[in-house]
Amino acid sequence: MDATSLNSQHRPFSIKLWPPSNKTREVLVKRMVTNLTTKSIFTEKYGSLSEADAEENAKKIEDDAFATADQHYEKEPDGDGGSAVQLYARECSRLLLEVLKKGPKSEDRKVTSESNSAAAHETLFDISKGQRAFIEADEADELLKPLKEPGNSYSKICFSNRSFGLEAARVAEPILASLKNQLKEVDLSDFIAGRPEAEALEVMNIFAAALEGSVLKSLNLSNNALGEKGVRAFGALLKSQTGLEELCLMNDGISEEAARAVCELIPSTEKLRVLQFHNNMTGDEGAVAISEVVKRSPLLEDFRCSSTRIGSEGGVALSEALETCTHLKKLDLRDNMFGVEGGVALSKALSKHAYLTEVYLSYLNLEDEGAVTIANVLKESAPSLEVLEMAGNDITAEAAAPLAACIVTKNLLTKLNLSENELKDEGAIHISKALEGLTQLKEVDLSTNLIRRAGARVLAQAVIQKPGFNFLNINGNFISDEGIDEVKDIFKKTPDTLGPLDENDPEGENDDESGDGEDNEDELESKLKNLEVGQED
């Protein structure tokens, strides 16, 4: 039972998160259409779809994901719908990636024979759909039959979400060995769940030996609780890979020792473009080992090393390694403890990254000094930045002016998340001023920032007129009842774009700095609204 279910048993009431509104579903379809048609790492790799094809696929993806999540919710009618929402999001992401990997429709295929057309589409073999389940020898033999057909065109396989036992692995072994010369992408994420350690390690050894020598572009070994033993069980496969472009080792229990094993076993990462390393137990020493892999990956475009227990020492090592990755487009280091020292080191690396489009630096303990150093660097680099997240970093109003000076230069920014900081009204108004000229902005999150009426009002006014704006989150602040009424009135024509305000505390923080209430807030707003963003105070 997950944490959401456990918590719901102790709450006297709950807010229903499922089903989503029709507006939310429509917005999601539009976002998926954008993902399928615009330039990204994935569309560069697999090709982008036409607008019509993308819209058709996006609607089908959303319908299928909604049906799956709704069925899940029906089985838990007393829950708040949180798990259904999570499943809905996961299914959309998974199905979206499947569509991208199939690539765009080609006009040539329409004029080929029906059999050739079918064969051209059969490049992905996927048994991951449906409920997670153990798979034994008989079922494996039946499931994998298409892979044994002579002349098949499968170059991508996904065995995720099914737990292979020893006998099932032995059935798969000769089949995989016969295919390894044509395979380009292998997904073995979450394929040994619930198996005893000894059996799981033997299964890994069998799969690794069967695939040894294949020339893969993409390898996903996530969600297998590998640890050092698991990494070494895949040693034969890892050692044989010299052309990997994408490697995923998320949620794998990668400790310091396991990280060293990864560094030791992969012979070359010169072509690596995507390295996903989320939710491990790496720590500082492990980060030093991973930094060696990063140093050897000059073409890296997408690096995720979030929730890996990395402190200042490891943060500095990783940051220094990232200086060599001048092609980086997406960087996700959330939920570590880099601190100020790690933040300063990271800023030096960011100065080398002219192509960054997404930067996720939340919950790094940066404080004002680290945040300002990074903001000052990003102001002069990353002209194509679309996403900036720096939530939960103890950033105060003192850092707001440099942050605003950075933000105002990002004409392509679509999403800004500065939640769970201490910006207060002064900081919120600085940020609001910076947002005024950003026409691509879709989402802003300044929730839980000690903001009161003045800051909330100016934020609302800064985003309300933007074409295509989707969501403002200012929940969890100290906005008066009058202030909430004002904000709701500003959004009266598009109420769905204003997030909930149920966690706002109108009685919150009434210290000396707060002054004498509404009059003081109006005075503060008047003084700060005319600031020239980008100028030093």
Side-chain angles (χ1 to χ4, degrees):
M1 183 179 292
D2 61 23
T4 304
S5 302
L6 287 172
N7 290 340
S8 67
Q9 295 177 5
H10 300 288
R11 291 197 297 265
F13 65 91
S14 62
I15 299 170
K16 294 292 185 184
L17 301 176
W18 188 264
S21 68
N22 288 335
K23 174 70 173 177
T24 298
R25 295 180 66 182
E26 290 170 4
V27 167
L28 181 58
V29 169
K30 289 178 181 177
R31 287 180 181 174
M32 287 193 287
V33 170
T34 300
N35 288 335
L36 291 168
T37 57
T38 57
K39 186 176 179 181
S40 68
I41 293 172
F42 292 108
T43 55
E44 283 184 355
K45 183 175 181 181
Y46 302 112
S48 58
L49 276 62
S50 68
E51 192 76 26
D53 196 20
E55 188 169 349
E56 178 185 344
N57 277 282
K59 287 178 179 177
K60 186 176 187 309
I61 290 169
E62 194 281 329
D63 282 342
D64 291 347
F66 181 87
T68 300
D70 199 47
Q71 186 178 19
H72 171 84
Y73 178 68
E74 289 299 323
K75 295 176 182 178
E76 299 181 3
D78 296 328
D80 62 3
S83 61
V85 172
Q86 292 175 4
L87 179 60
Y88 178 54
R90 286 200 304 271
E91 281 295 290
C92 283
S93 297
R94 183 179 67 79
L95 294 171
L96 185 71
L97 187 56
E98 280 187 16
V99 169
L100 281 168
K101 286 184 175 181
K102 287 179 182 177
K105 290 180 179 178
S106 170
E107 290 300 317
D108 322 352
R109 292 178 185 166
K110 295 180 181 178
V111 297
T112 58
S113 69
E114 190 174 320
S115 58
N116 285 342
S117 178
H121 282 87
E122 290 178 352
T123 58
L124 172 65
F125 181 80
D126 186 356
I127 61 172
S128 67
K129 297 176 182 178
Q131 298 292 323
R132 293 179 69 190
F134 280 9
I135 179 173
E136 304 302 338
D138 290 345
E139 187 181 1
D141 188 54
E142 183 65 28
L143 273 175
L144 304 183
K145 269 185 180 179
L147 294 178
K148 294 188 284 186
E149 293 177 1
N152 73 73
S153 302
Y154 293 115
S155 59
K156 312 166 189 177
I157 58 171
C158 178
F159 286 4
S160 181
N161 207 37
R162 301 295 181 97
S163 178
F164 279 75
L166 189 54
E167 296 306 316
R170 287 174 177 152
V171 170
E173 181 178 15
I175 298 173
L176 293 177
S178 70
L179 290 174
K180 67 181 178 183
N181 290 331
Q182 68 189 59
L183 289 177
K184 299 300 179 186
E185 300 178 19
V186 171
D187 185 344
L188 299 178
S189 60
D190 192 23
F191 86 122
I192 50 162
R195 301 291 180 179
E197 181 182 282
E199 182 180 17
L201 289 172
E202 192 166 352
V203 169
M204 292 180 203
N205 274 309
I206 289 171
F207 273 76
L211 293 167
E212 182 181 3
S214 54
V215 184
L216 300 180
K217 290 185 177 180
S218 175
L219 177 62
N220 188 348
L221 302 177
S222 301
N223 302 310
N224 284 314
L226 295 177
E228 183 187 8
K229 291 180 181 178
V231 171
R232 294 196 180 281
F234 275 112
L237 174 58
L238 293 173
K239 285 180 180 178
S240 68
Q241 299 306 305
T242 58
L244 275 179
E245 295 181 12
E246 182 175 341
L247 176 63
C248 295
L249 294 167
M250 298 187 289
N251 194 29
D252 269 333
I254 303 291
S255 61
E256 170 189 336
E257 295 77 13
R260 288 174 178 163
V262 170
C263 183
E264 168 195 332
L265 292 171
I266 301 179
S268 172
T269 56
E270 290 180 359
K271 297 182 180 180
L272 198 66
R273 297 181 183 275
V274 179
L275 178 58
Q276 302 279 317
F277 208 71
H278 167 69
N279 196 28
N280 284 296
M281 44 194 286
T282 313
D284 282 342
E285 294 301 319
V288 172
I290 294 302
S291 70
E292 293 301 316
V293 178
V294 172
K295 283 179 186 176
R296 304 197 305 256
S297 308
L299 299 182
L300 199 62
E301 296 178 0
D302 182 346
F303 180 53
R304 185 180 186 188
C305 196
S306 49
S307 301
T308 46
R309 306 183 188 182
I310 296 174
S312 180
E313 180 185 349
V316 170
L318 266 183
S319 298
E320 291 174 349
L322 285 167
E323 291 187 35
T324 64
C325 305
T326 55
H327 295 272
L328 204 63
K329 296 179 180 178
K330 181 177 179 180
L331 176 64
D332 187 347
L333 299 172
R334 285 175 285 190
D335 192 23
N336 287 298
M337 291 296 289
F338 278 35
V340 173
E341 186 179 358
V344 171
L346 181 59
S347 70
K348 296 176 182 177
L350 293 175
S351 67
K352 310 288 178 67
H353 300 151
Y355 303 108
L356 279 172
T357 58
E358 300 179 41
V359 176
Y360 302 90
L361 305 178
S362 297
Y363 309 106
L364 292 180
N365 200 31
L366 295 175
E367 302 181 16
D368 282 350
E369 184 179 347
V372 168
T373 306
I374 288 172
N376 287 340
V377 168
L378 286 178
K379 178 183 175 183
E380 305 299 331
S381 60
S384 300
L385 195 65
E386 297 175 9
V387 177
L388 177 60
E389 292 198 7
M390 297 180 72
N393 276 304
D394 296 322
I395 302 172
T396 73
E398 292 184 12
L403 274 173
C406 167
I407 292 165
V408 77
T409 66
K410 305 307 170 191
N411 294 324
L412 299 179
L413 197 69
T414 61
K415 180 179 179 181
L416 175 67
N417 184 353
L418 295 172
S419 63
E420 296 186 53
N421 285 301
E422 299 175 13
L423 289 171
K424 297 188 175 181
D425 278 2
E426 181 182 351
I429 294 172
H430 270 290
I431 301 301
S432 299
K433 190 69 177 176
L435 300 180
E436 289 179 357
L438 303 184
T439 58
Q440 303 300 311
L441 200 63
K442 307 295 182 189
E443 185 175 333
V444 173
D445 189 344
L446 264 77
S447 57
T448 316
N449 258 291
L450 313 180
I451 295 170
R452 299 167 70 216
R453 179 184 175 188
R457 185 168 57 217
V458 176
L459 271 169
Q461 291 167 341
V463 301
I464 189 60
Q465 299 299 331
K466 296 186 182 301
F469 187 80
N470 290 330
F471 191 65
L472 173 66
N473 186 4
I474 50 174
N475 207 4
N477 284 301
F478 300 153
I479 310 166
S480 66
D481 292 335
E482 293 83 357
I484 288 179
D485 289 341
E486 288 176 342
V487 170
K488 287 183 176 179
D489 187 61
I490 292 170
F491 280 87
K492 63 185 177 183
K493 292 184 179 179
T494 56
D496 288 346
T497 60
L498 176 64
L501 295 165
D502 55 308
E503 295 179 6
N504 179 69
D505 180 9
E507 306 296 326
E509 192 181 77
N510 191 20
D511 57 22
D512 291 338
E513 285 185 39
S514 300
D516 296 320
E518 305 293 345
D519 292 339
N520 185 70
E521 289 192 49
D522 292 337
E523 182 182 352
L524 175 66
E525 179 182 348
S526 177
K527 287 180 179 179
L528 295 179
K529 278 188 75 172
N530 295 320
L531 284 173
E532 289 296 327
V533 176
Q535 302 298 319
E536 296 294 334
D537 286 349

